[in-house]
Amino acid sequence: MASVDEHAGATEANPIAPKRASHAVIRLNAVSGPGQGRGLVMRQSVATVGRHPTNDLVLPDPRVSGVHLELARVEGGLRLRDVGSTNGTWSGATRLFEAALSLGAEIVVGDTLLRVEAHQESGPPSPAKAEAFGTLVGTSPSMRELFATLERIAPKELSVLVQGETGTGKEEVARSLHTASARASGPFIVIDATSLPENLAESLLFGHERGAFTGATERRGGFFEAASRGTIFIDELGELPPLLQAKFLRVLERREITPVGGTTPHKVDVRVIAATNRDLRNEIDKGRFREDLYFRIAQVRVHIPPLRDRPEDVPLLCTRLLADTGAPTMIEASALEHLCSQPWPGNVRELKNVLVRASAMAHDGLIRRTDVSGEGFGFRGTQDERSALDLSGTFSEAKDRAIDRFERAYLRLVMKRCEGNLSQASREADVARHHLRDLLKKRGLYGVALGDEEP
């Protein structure tokens, strides 16, 4: 078997060092098992493999999970990440969680053997020449490839599902698509599905008629009506409850809404863009999200790469983010080098927060390394929080422990910086106030005095 560099826990932040995308074309072939004969040519920067029909490589193997693993194109091969599959991804007797796969490498998923091979046909699509699309900037191959995709789909009346980690800029993708479309002169309405009150959600989305419920003294339009001839962006689509998912599907299929208390549908002229930081195909497998709604909203699916995988974008991002502050601030080379080396779990949003604070503290308009490192700028926490991750047990168990540890550390830090002010912390974390309160209660930190942590 050719080389498989296994990284099932090598480091906390970035188990596999990022590499520049290669121009070579890689193909992943199913050489035996239920999926034999199927293959995936990696022309895109990111792809998924699994049993669900929305994967890029679909394997009719009952022991393969709905979404089993994710692949990223890197120099000389692929980077693999198991996304919590039930039966695992294997190289011989070794279970892989993250790994770099070179040409000739073989892995087993379920009862299917997959091999990484060279593909002889044309290479991946040409990336955009520009280093920006709307408010998005980047020089990395993965971002320029994203820009090329966005340029193609912006003028088309297609629903788009934007996927990416928290803080990568999903709303900026939606806003930039709107600005580049024929709907640019119309409204751009943002809906945060996590902050919709359950008892008022349908009214807020679709409006209500007079007398529809206690307190409805007049007719009011909802978000969809307000977005007429424009674009609606629904953030965290996966948080919509089942009843609203059914109503939302009807809107997408028929382009009409029925206000609460009403009997006559009204036509609406909107483009819908949605976003999520979770894979909805796994939610479908678990019965928590409608498959028909997924297919309707994900006419086009785009993925924003995390900042840790594109450190070459950090200098350009710093230039743009500092310009947005309006302050004549510059950054010295050692500070920029430090920023490029960080894992950025909060992605562009975290980088922005660091730069805003550093700009405010900078002496003579120059941000130095000491302004972007040390307490308040990097991860400190307690000694226990800084120790190696506990990667024992199943993937799901290890992941739950890592999330618990991250949330406790982040919540302590943000509440300490905001001196316990929940509203201020909500704004800084860019999380709905009630959601932040729920997180604090969940981790046993609500109402707890958060004093200094260990150095």
Side-chain angles (χ1 to χ4, degrees), residues 263-404:
T263 56
T264 305
H266 304 294
K267 289 291 183 182
V268 289
D269 176 17
V270 297
R271 183 185 191 178
V272 177
I273 301 174
T276 179
N277 62 6
R278 62 168 93 171
D279 198 316
L280 295 181
R281 295 166 296 185
N282 281 326
E283 298 299 296
I284 293 170
D285 252 14
K286 296 172 183 175
R288 295 197 291 249
F289 197 81
R290 294 180 62 113
E291 184 175 44
D292 48 3
L293 176 55
Y294 177 89
F295 280 115
R296 191 62 186 80
I297 194 64
Q299 289 181 319
V300 178
R301 193 172 77 244
V302 297
H303 179 269
I304 313 174
L307 189 53
R308 64 180 173 274
D309 285 353
R310 48 189 181 99
E312 62 266 52
D313 288 341
V314 171
L316 186 57
L317 281 166
C318 288
T319 300
R320 171 63 67 87
L321 294 171
L322 286 173
D324 290 345
T325 67
T329 309
M330 298 182 67
I331 182 167
E332 69 176 12
S334 63
L336 190 57
E337 183 182 355
H338 174 75
L339 293 174
C340 289
S341 69
Q342 299 306 297
W344 299 116
N347 291 292
V348 178
R349 182 182 298 140
E350 182 184 1
L351 174 63
K352 178 181 179 180
N353 288 340
V354 167
L355 290 174
V356 167
R357 293 194 298 270
S359 178
M361 298 173 62
H363 180 64
D364 295 332
L366 179 65
I367 296 177
R368 297 170 173 81
R369 182 179 177 119
T370 53
D371 296 323
V372 292
S373 58
E375 184 170 4
F377 294 97
F379 177 79
R380 285 166 54 84
T382 64
Q383 183 60 44
D384 183 56
E385 288 167 343
R386 295 199 302 271
S387 61
L389 287 172
D390 179 3
L391 298 177
S392 61
T394 67
F395 177 87
S396 180
E397 291 167 345
K399 180 180 177 182
D400 287 344
R401 286 194 298 271
I403 291 173
D404 175 79

Side-chain angles (χ1 to χ4, degrees), residues 28 133 139 268 425:
L28 186 68
F133 179 81
T139 61
V268 289

